Amino acid sequence: MNGNPVSSVLFVCLGNICRSPLAEGVFRAVLEERGFTGMTVDSAGTGGWHAGEQPDRRSIAIAAHHGVDISGQRARKVIVEDFSRFDLILGMDRSNVADLKALAPAEGRGKVHRFLEFARQGARDVPDPYYDGPDAAAVYRMVREASEALAARLVRDPENRNRFRLD
Ligand code: 4NP
């Protein structure tokens, strides 16, 4: 992964209504704070049950509490083209990662990682908050910390300020 060009990141969870839309919004905000432009950021779900829907109200609320508006995002299912369109595909938990690796064409498999590999405390799952999971504030903290850690590893290409590689 180190040294790889990264100009696009896809966050993936199961439903694309709780965790990955929050990660998309928070990572965008972290990039903006750092003045990093030119990065494509999106999110998707391995399941399509909620396609077309807004993020879960709990995710919208915790993001808004931290000044991030994710209410305009709409859920979608992962498609095979995502494995060529995105440089980095980050699953929220180990089952998302397993599902993504099963879906990925062989050449796309190396792009798939668990998001919290980037967190200071090391690889863990962002727990599924849909049914009685952790509170939204705990999920927000994990997502924010891993987003900052990921952004801290992005190094601008000196020849093209809109391109990055992973340090
Ligand atoms: P997410 O949470 O994967 O963080 O979006 C879930 C949302 C919906 C369902 C499961 C998890 N569901 O089963 O509909």
Side-chain angles (χ1 to χ4, degrees), residues 12-21 45 49-50 56 58-59 92-93 96 126-131:
V12 177
C13 60
L14 183 58
N16 191 211
I17 55 168
C18 295
R19 293 165 291 173
S20 61
W49 317 281
H50 296 280
D56 186 275
R58 294 164 290 184
S59 292
M92 295 294 127
D93 64 30
N96 305 145
V126 180
D128 187 341
Y130 193 59
Y131 303 105

Side-chain angles (χ1 to χ4, degrees), residues 109-158:
R109 226 163 275 153
K111 298 174 170 183
V112 177
H113 300 275
R114 194 154 44 142
F115 183 33
L116 293 194
E117 276 176 38
F118 294 95
R120 243 180 296 130
Q121 293 94 330
R124 287 164 300 143
D125 289 340
V126 180
D128 187 341
Y130 193 59
Y131 303 105
D132 295 333
D135 60 37
V139 173
Y140 175 85
R141 276 195 301 278
M142 287 181 209
V143 163
R144 173 83 200 187
E145 204 249 309
S147 293
E148 283 176 7
L150 173 57
R153 285 186 56 189
L154 294 174
V155 178
R156 261 191 175 127
D157 180 341

Side-chain angles (χ1 to χ4, degrees), residues 42-106:
D42 196 6
S43 65
T46 56
W49 317 281
H50 296 280
E53 291 178 21
Q54 265 196 325
D56 186 275
R57 60 185 163 71
R58 294 164 290 184
S59 292
I60 292 178
I62 193 71
H65 182 71
H66 292 277
V68 178
D69 180 8
I70 63 167
S71 64
Q73 295 173 203
R74 293 295 178 270
R76 72 170 180 88
K77 194 174 177 194
V78 172
I79 52 172
V80 74
E81 288 78 11
D82 288 325
F83 296 97
S84 46
R85 270 190 65 210
F86 289 91
D87 298 322
L88 202 52
I89 300 173
L90 300 176
M92 295 294 127
D93 64 30
R94 68 195 75 195
S95 98
N96 305 145
V97 168
D99 290 344
L100 285 165
K101 287 200 169 166
L103 272 174

